[in-house]
């Protein structure tokens, strides 16, 4: 996957969340899921969000039928990583250590979560 041009906005993230749950979807279906109704305004807003997400390489379009279908091109984990790296870049020169240390100290981790973190660190 290409590195995105920028971090996703809240509206873009909401659209991706819908796709992660219900993909593939047409733009009208996305408008209904996001706004509860399908009208010129909601479909126009969804089309703009789709365009921005496609430009960022975060969404794919299936053009094989007259009604295009959309899928997320990234997982939740990939988006979380991108957002965290962007935030780390702004706050701590790109270092993720302060974030990891905070998460470990601030949240009680289950035995399973601790094992997963250890495995990741060992890799």
């Amino acid at each position: 996957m290409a590195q995105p041009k920028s971090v996703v906005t809240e509206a873009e993230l909401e659209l991706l969340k819908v796709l992660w749950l219900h993909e593939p979807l047409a733009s009208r279906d996305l408008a209904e899921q996001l706004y509860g109704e399908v009208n010129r305004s909601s479909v126009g807003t969804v089309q703009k969000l789709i365009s921005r997400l496609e430009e960022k390489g975060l969404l794919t379009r299936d053009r094989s039928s007259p009604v295009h279908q959309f899928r997320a091109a990234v997982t939740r984990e990939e988006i979380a990583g991108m957002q965290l790296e962007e935030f780390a870049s702004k706050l701590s020169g790109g270092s993720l250590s302060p974030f990891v240390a905070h998460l470990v100290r601030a949240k009680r981790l289950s035995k399973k979560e601790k094992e997963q973190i250890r495995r990741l660190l060992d890799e």
Side-chain angles (χ1 to χ4, degrees):
M1 182 195 76
Q3 191 65 19
K5 294 182 180 183
S6 65
V7 184
V8 295
T9 65
E10 284 296 318
E12 292 167 346
L13 184 57
E14 289 305 312
L15 189 143
L16 287 170
K17 286 178 182 178
V18 170
L19 286 175
W20 289 324
L21 291 174
H22 304 290
E23 68 183 11
L25 289 174
S27 60
R28 292 179 63 82
D29 298 324
L30 282 163
E32 185 173 6
Q33 289 285 325
L34 288 168
Y35 304 111
E37 61 184 334
V38 178
N39 58 41
R40 180 179 280 175
S41 177
S42 65
V43 172
T45 300
V46 165
Q47 290 290 351
K48 184 64 176 169
L49 292 170
I50 286 169
S51 176
R52 291 186 343 210
L53 287 166
E54 280 183 307
E55 189 176 300
K56 293 177 181 182
L58 302 176
L59 185 113
T60 62
R61 179 188 302 247
D62 178 357
R63 301 172 191 265
S64 64
S65 67
V67 177
H68 295 181
Q69 298 287 309
F70 300 93
R71 293 181 182 275
V74 290
T75 64
R76 288 178 188 267
E77 292 79 14
E78 289 170 322
I79 287 291
M82 287 183 242
Q83 299 282 77
L84 184 56
E85 286 177 21
E86 178 71 18
F87 198 60
S89 178
K90 289 178 183 177
L91 288 180
S92 59
S95 174
L96 294 176
S97 296
F99 299 98
V100 173
H102 171 75
L103 290 173
V104 169
R105 288 186 188 119
K107 181 181 179 220
R108 298 213 184 267
L109 299 174
S110 70
K111 184 176 179 178
K112 182 178 178 181
E113 288 172 319
K114 289 176 185 176
E115 290 170 359
Q116 288 174 328
I117 291 171
R118 282 189 189 100
R119 276 197 303 274
L120 289 171
L121 290 173
D122 289 341
E123 289 176 8

